[in-house]
Amino acid sequence: MSEDILLSDEDFTIELFYRVDNKMLDAKKHPQALLYPSEVVTLALLFSLKGSSNRAFYRWLWKNLRHLFPKLPERTRLFRLFNSHQKWCDRFMAEPTLIGVIDGYGIELIHPRRQGRSQKQIGKKGLSNKRWIVGGKLCLLLNHLGLIVDWDLDTANVYEGSSFQRLVDAVSDKMLVFSDTGFKKKGWHPTNLKICPRGTWNVRMIVESVLSMLTVVCHFKKMGHRVWSYFKSRVGWTMALFNILVDWNGLEPDDSGFVRLSIANFSL
């Protein structure tokens, strides 16, 4: 999709389904299922892109795209499908490259003043961008192109260097990972981790571009989930969606050799 050509919601959904189906060729449909695996994934990605509540998304889907999904299940069953099949998100993760970047991102679930009002509260209080939030913390591992290689999720009160070591260790023989000082931890010194003090190694700025796109296009900074598994499912589908949209027209460098990332044209 170029900047001068905008697809309708229907055309975009059809093209998205085509790209998803190419990744789901070996996924088999259950005999009692109403939707094919590619349909489930396409709908989950649309939900992540829409960035609205469950009810608002389902109303929009029923009104605008029901003719593309004639066997669309009722709302709660549909979102249970998104949750139970979140393992399919892994099919859309990017391959590691020689250099990568890792960083954390706070996602607010409730306002800090409402902390402790419910015994079923799933988020915890922590700092994000120098302000208090109650919610979760996402950790992203990107390759040098800005595509998401891996991710993990925990509550907002965790320390990045303690909770997300797995992401760095998993690519110890494949990728040199740049991080901020939040990943510095006593007793943990992986050879593939490069700690970057503030103002150095501007290669880390690519992660700021990625987080900005997620915030603006996918409305990713605030969510209203009350069950952790559904919250994690929503995050996983958004990670898969980002990789698909960024690579929609191929990652072509400009005249200076810089690959520009943008998903603004896909905002629904």
Side-chain angles (χ1 to χ4, degrees), residues 92-94 140-142 146-151 210 239 242-243:
F92 302 92
M93 294 298 100
L140 291 174
L141 176 63
L142 310 177
L147 296 175
I148 299 169
V149 175
D150 203 354
W151 62 277
V210 171
M239 301 296 96
F242 179 83
N243 280 351

Side-chain angles (χ1 to χ4, degrees), residues 49 105 210-221 263-264 267:
L49 180 59
Y105 179 83
V210 171
L211 296 178
S212 176
M213 286 184 279
L214 290 172
T215 300
V216 175
V217 177
C218 299
H219 310 283
F220 199 56
K221 194 64 178 175
I263 61 173
S267 181

Side-chain angles (χ1 to χ4, degrees), residues 159-179:
Y159 178 64
E160 294 168 349
S162 299
S163 296
F164 303 121
Q165 294 180 4
R166 176 191 69 82
L167 299 180
V168 178
D169 294 337
V171 293
S172 59
D173 58 343
K174 301 177 182 177
M175 180 184 288
L176 175 63
V177 180
F178 292 84
S179 76

Side-chain angles (χ1 to χ4, degrees), residues 108 110-116 125 131-134:
E108 186 173 350
I110 61 173
H111 193 279
R113 294 181 69 94
R114 297 180 59 198
Q115 183 188 17
K125 190 173 184 179
R131 60 182 292 267
W132 290 103
I133 67 168
V134 176

